[in-house]
Amino acid sequence: MRIIDVSIPISNNMVYFPDDPKPQISRVYSIERGDVANVSKLILSSHTGTHIDAPSHFIKDGKTVDQIPLEYLIGEVKVFEVHEDNKITREFLESKNIEYGDRIFFKTKNSLYLKRSSEFYEKYVYLTLEAAEFLIEREVKVVGIDYLSIEEFASNDFAVHKSLLSNGVVVIEGLDLSQVCEGKYRYAALPLKLKDCDGAPARVVLIDFNPKIL
């Protein structure tokens, strides 16, 4: 059994989405300064690093992150490698073995940006609206991608997010899939249990028992 951590470390120097709060971790009590324990203060967006979007992120009165069923966040997932340069299309998805109720992670060149630079990269690979609609038709439960948004940068209407989240699809963003091969895995993606919140950072792991070809 091999366990692969596909989460981004949270730090003061990590990449974050433009206009979101800059992650800040500071020590408020320190053993070196004579305090009895080390205690740190965190200032983070609810969409920092590897995180889960709740429906309420874009849908009025949508479920909050603490209301997402755990059954969606633990199970089997298919990882697909994407070789298109700019976007994930419906045509690409139609060429893959996507079954009803699947959970899917997309590995793109985005993973390299996450590992190599703390600067935000605007031209990341994203999911098109037509592709999102295909996933909804297939009743996909979870979709994950290896950058901080699944939507094209500077989208005006956020149609991809709204379509997925309004149809009950859990969105996981900021996955580091650079060390992962295409295939089927077990996974756990557990966000912080932030009451009534629109999203939360998550620790996401893949569990590779026996490699399976898709």
Side-chain angles (χ1 to χ4, degrees):
M1 181 181 71
R2 184 168 68 112
I3 299 175
I4 310 167
D5 189 345
V6 294
S7 313
I8 306 171
I10 294 177
S11 73
N12 292 333
N13 299 316
M14 70 183 299
V15 63
Y16 61 97
F17 202 85
D19 298 327
D20 274 7
K22 184 182 187 301
Q24 298 178 52
I25 304 174
S26 56
R27 187 64 57 83
V28 292
Y29 297 114
S30 170
I31 294 174
E32 289 186 357
R33 295 197 302 262
D35 296 316
V36 68
N38 292 320
V39 177
S40 298
K41 178 176 70 174
L42 313 180
I43 300 176
L44 305 171
S45 159
S46 53
H47 301 268
T48 294
T50 307
H51 66 275
I52 292 177
D53 287 353
S56 64
H57 184 33
F58 279 99
I59 308 301
K60 184 179 180 181
D61 299 324
K63 285 186 177 181
T64 54
V65 72
D66 54 313
Q67 296 173 326
I68 296 175
L70 290 178
E71 291 79 9
Y72 280 56
L73 304 176
I74 301 172
E76 288 194 349
V77 64
K78 292 177 179 177
V79 177
F80 291 118
E81 291 191 22
V82 181
H83 301 292
E84 281 83 351
D85 288 335
N86 301 311
K87 56 191 176 183
I88 302 168
T89 64
R90 183 184 181 104
E91 291 73 22
F92 172 80
L93 298 183
E94 288 174 341
S95 72
K96 297 297 181 179
N97 177 26
I98 298 178
E99 300 173 288
Y100 287 93
D102 270 349
R103 299 161 173 86
I104 297 172
F105 289 172
F106 294 112
K107 177 184 178 179
T108 76
K109 62 182 180 181
N110 294 341
S111 286
L112 297 178
Y113 307 146
L114 285 174
K115 290 185 72 69
R116 292 179 180 177
S117 176
S118 61
E119 298 296 321
F120 185 82
Y121 185 72
E122 296 183 359
K123 295 182 179 180
Y124 55 82
V125 180
Y126 61 91
L127 189 74
T128 66
L129 178 58
E130 294 76 18
E133 291 170 344
F134 177 83
L135 295 176
I136 292 166
E137 292 168 11
R138 283 288 194 273
E139 299 178 7
V140 166
K141 294 183 181 299
V142 176
V143 59
I145 198 165
D146 52 355
Y147 211 63
L148 299 182
S149 178
I150 201 166
E151 189 129 20
E152 183 178 12
F153 183 69
S155 169
N156 293 320
D157 57 7
F158 303 101
V160 170
H161 274 96
K162 291 177 180 177
S163 294
L164 293 172
L165 295 174
S166 65
N167 283 280
V169 182
V170 174
V171 176
I172 305 176
E173 297 168 326
L175 295 165
D176 175 11
L177 300 175
S178 58
Q179 303 303 310
V180 177
C181 297
E182 182 169 290
K184 186 180 289 187
Y185 300 82
R186 294 182 187 174
Y187 82 106
L190 299 179
L192 294 175
K193 194 173 183 179
L194 303 179
K195 183 173 174 56
D196 301 329
C197 198
D198 47 84
R203 188 72 177 265
V204 184
V205 298
L206 298 181
I207 304 168
D208 186 1
F209 285 88
N210 293 297
K212 298 178 182 178
I213 303 301
L214 298 177

